[in-house]
């Protein structure tokens, strides 16, 4: 079953091996239905593959044609703009964790989200983060690493409001830091562009907080040109956030 141009609306698979393995995951489904779903909206298939028990995605209830029924996961990220800083710190930690999980957490695939925005992230009343729009993404089979250049892809930073990525580069490496870069750049940084809240999710830290280290690491995650590993920075930022949040519990 060929997938034309490796493209399913805004959802893309990196190569034929990924397409083949993706389809094999749904062997139990009727082939005609599968073909229709893939061409109309691949999101429910991704929600099956990246199950809500392990990934920050909504619980899938069912789907038919264009309609997808899923758990309501809360309000858009910007609805917590004026929440207590420590609550926003807890959310920031989950955003980074989720970026790691989509990159490393599945046994067979990596999913790179290509439409990360505050509207596509829901926050529940108890501050659980869910990525609600998986319709835009790039899927790569981990075993494709043998077909592409090994090593990890470093996303070249853009200045200020500009943001972009190259599908060829993301697909051309065994691992890309795309998800981590996107979370740092589009959501956490003080320079996070519209439609993110002004000065990023961690705006207006409390005066008693000594978080110079935290903000430096976040900006390094966005702007570093020294090709330091954004995965290491991501782990470090999470650790700093954990330490800060633990102190106020
Ligand atoms: N599971 C969900 N829980 C809470 N809000 C959701 C959920 N799914 C979608 N939304 C809300 O609906 C909006 C549109 O849904 P989305 O899947 O992003 O569609 P589109 O492809 O039109 O962007 C989202 O921006 C989000 O605010
Ligand atoms: Mg959306």
């Amino acid at each position: 079953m060929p997938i034309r141009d490796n493209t399913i609306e805004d959802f893309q698979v990196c190569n034929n091996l990924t397409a083949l393995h993706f389809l094999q995951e749904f062997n139990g489904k009727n082939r005609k239905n599968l073909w229709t779903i893939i061409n109309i909206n691949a999101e429910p298939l991704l929600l099956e593959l990246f199950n809500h028990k392990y990934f920050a995605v909504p619980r899938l209830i069912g789907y038919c044609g264009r309609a997808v029924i899923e758990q309501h996961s809360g309000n858009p990220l910007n609805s917590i703009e004026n929440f207590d800083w420590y609550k926003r710190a807890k959310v920031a930690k989950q955003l980074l964790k989720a970026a790691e999980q989509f990159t490393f957490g599945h046994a067979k695939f990596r999913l790179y989200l290509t439409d990360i925005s505050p509207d596509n992230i829901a926050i529940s009343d108890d501050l659980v983060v869910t990525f609600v729009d998986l319709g835009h993404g790039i899927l790569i089979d981990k075993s494709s690493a043998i077909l592409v250049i090994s090593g990890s892809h470093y996303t070249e930073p853009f200045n200020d409001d500009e943001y972009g990525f190259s599908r060829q580069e993301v697909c051309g490496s065994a691992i890309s830091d795309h998800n981590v870069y996107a979370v740092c750049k589009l959501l956490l940084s003080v320079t996070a562009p519209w439609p993110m809240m002004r000065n990023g999710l961690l705006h207006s830290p409390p005066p008693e907080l000594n978080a110079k280290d935290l903000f430096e690491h976040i900006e390094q995650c966005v702007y570093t040109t020294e090709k330091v590993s954004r995965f290491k920075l991501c782990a470090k930022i999470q650790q700093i956030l954990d330490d800060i949040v633990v102190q106020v519990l």
Side-chain angles (χ1 to χ4, degrees):
M1 194 188 284
I3 292 185
R4 217 179 315 125
D5 298 334
N6 284 346
T7 303
I8 306 162
E9 295 206 330
D10 285 330
F11 166 63
Q12 301 181 310
V13 292
C14 280
N15 49 47
N16 288 338
L17 189 66
T18 302
L20 180 69
H21 288 172
F22 179 63
L23 291 171
Q24 282 173 348
E25 291 293 311
F26 304 101
N27 265 342
K29 291 194 195 303
N30 174 297
R31 285 266 148 163
K32 280 185 195 156
N33 285 352
L34 184 59
W35 183 238
T36 310
I37 296 159
I38 284 176
N39 278 288
I40 292 176
N41 177 14
E43 190 165 8
L45 300 178
L46 289 171
L47 288 174
E48 279 191 26
L49 208 55
F50 289 79
N51 189 285
H52 73 279
K53 287 183 189 151
Y54 310 103
F55 298 90
V57 300
R59 181 167 59 85
L60 178 66
I61 296 165
Y63 54 94
C64 180
R66 288 183 190 278
V68 180
I69 303 168
E70 60 187 39
Q71 162 209 18
H72 185 266
S73 309
N75 296 315
L77 179 60
N78 280 358
S79 66
I80 65 163
E81 176 167 9
N82 296 318
F83 277 32
D84 174 71
W85 190 89
Y86 294 96
K87 289 186 174 168
R88 285 180 280 126
K90 211 175 146 190
V91 168
K93 147 83 197 215
Q94 290 176 69
L95 292 168
L96 290 165
K97 186 82 210 157
E100 271 179 3
Q101 283 289 90
F102 287 122
T103 312
F104 295 104
H106 195 280
K108 297 183 185 165
F109 299 97
R110 301 187 201 284
L111 180 62
Y112 299 112
L113 302 178
T114 53
D115 192 16
I116 290 186
S117 80
D119 278 351
N120 288 336
I121 294 165
I123 309 296
S124 69
D125 290 345
D126 48 358
L127 299 178
V128 174
V129 166
T130 306
F131 284 72
V132 295
D133 191 351
L134 296 195
H136 311 260
I138 300 173
L139 189 76
I140 186 166
D141 187 305
K142 284 183 173 177
S143 68
S144 295
I146 49 167
L147 301 176
V148 297
I149 309 158
S150 57
S152 76
H153 161 239
Y154 166 82
T155 308
E156 291 294 340
F158 283 77
N159 287 326
D160 302 327
D161 283 0
E162 293 169 42
Y163 170 75
F165 59 87
S166 150
R167 189 180 80 87
Q168 279 71 23
E169 287 184 13
V170 169
C171 288
S173 317
I175 303 173
S176 169
D177 64 8
H178 172 87
N179 287 334
V180 173
Y181 173 68
V183 167
C184 289
K185 162 89 189 178
L186 300 176
L187 306 176
L188 301 188
S189 168
V190 289
T191 63
W194 183 90
M196 189 54 197
M197 60 186 80
R198 200 171 146 79
N199 295 326
L201 178 61
L202 296 172
H203 68 85
S204 321
E208 76 277 6
L209 184 77
N210 180 6
K212 194 165 161 271
D213 210 21
L214 170 65
F215 291 103
E216 278 176 7
H217 278 82
I218 290 172
E219 294 316 307
Q220 216 187 342
C221 174
V222 180
Y223 289 110
T224 178
T225 51
E226 291 164 20
K227 303 206 172 185
V228 296
S229 162
R230 285 199 177 92
F231 298 118
K232 283 191 184 153
L233 288 170
C234 179
K236 180 70 184 167
I237 299 166
Q238 288 182 69
Q239 187 205 320
I240 298 171
L241 286 167
D242 276 344
D243 291 347
I244 291 173
V245 171
V246 158
Q247 283 166 28
V248 294
L249 285 180

